[in-house]
Amino acid sequence: MHQTQISIKTPGRGYYLITNQIKDAIEQAIETMDAGLLHVFIQHTSASLTINENADPTVREDFKSFEEHLVPRDFPYQHNYEGPDDMPAHIKSTLMGCQLTVPVSIGRLALGTWQGIYLCEHRDSPQQRTLILTLYS
């Protein structure tokens, strides 16, 4: 088993492709693995992770539009200590999830041709996000 932590700064709300940052962080540990699993966990309640289309950037814009439709800011939330994006960010994080598991095959992440790992930032302002990466062989 190998574990490492990475920190990613986001400029605010959006979907950020982080596949390469993850690959860079585990590069030495993964290169000798024939088979295994990578577990990715984000230590936050207002951001999430997903695997999806990594080629067409309009997918990211559609995600943003749909999430605003699905979880509107003008709903009468009680929890709003940090502003109008606070509770919607928590709900979006719960819906999308805080962890992913990716197979490792012959020294690389076994993602599909058009798959990438995204950090989904649900807060409007810039954030520093911490991810824990755990490799199991």
Side-chain angles (χ1 to χ4, degrees):
M1 184 171 72
H2 171 81
Q3 189 172 76
T4 191
Q5 182 174 301
I6 61 173
S7 183
I8 298 175
K9 185 167 178 64
T10 68
R13 192 168 68 89
Y15 288 77
Y16 303 102
L17 195 56
I18 61 169
T19 312
N20 288 337
Q21 289 104 311
I22 290 172
K23 286 179 180 178
D24 291 347
I26 61 170
E27 184 176 27
Q28 289 180 338
I30 198 175
E31 64 188 13
T32 59
M33 291 179 69
D34 288 329
L37 294 172
L38 170 67
H39 181 261
V40 183
F41 179 79
I42 189 165
Q43 293 185 306
H44 302 278
T45 61
S46 56
S48 57
L49 299 167
T50 193
I51 295 175
N52 216 296
E53 158 79 50
N54 68 354
D56 184 353
T58 62
V59 169
R60 295 173 231 177
E61 293 305 313
D62 287 341
F63 272 135
K64 281 172 58 176
S65 296
F66 182 74
E67 76 174 27
E68 288 299 311
H69 174 75
L70 186 64
V71 185
R73 292 170 188 240
D74 61 357
F75 187 84
Y77 301 108
Q78 293 180 42
H79 177 81
N80 60 3
Y81 300 132
E82 297 177 39
D85 67 336
D86 192 15
M87 191 62 211
H90 293 309
I91 292 170
K92 293 170 189 177
S93 174
T94 295
L95 291 173
M96 297 195 74
C98 62
Q99 60 188 334
L100 299 171
T101 302
V102 181
V104 173
S105 182
I106 312 170
R108 65 174 192 82
L109 296 180
L111 292 167
T113 303
W114 305 111
Q115 288 183 316
I117 300 171
Y118 284 91
L119 189 159
C120 314
E121 178 59 67
H122 304 299
R123 298 304 305 266
D124 292 337
S125 60
Q127 303 291 323
Q128 191 77 26
R129 300 303 190 179
T130 303
L131 285 76
I132 298 175
L133 312 176
T134 307
L135 277 167
Y136 299 92
S137 56

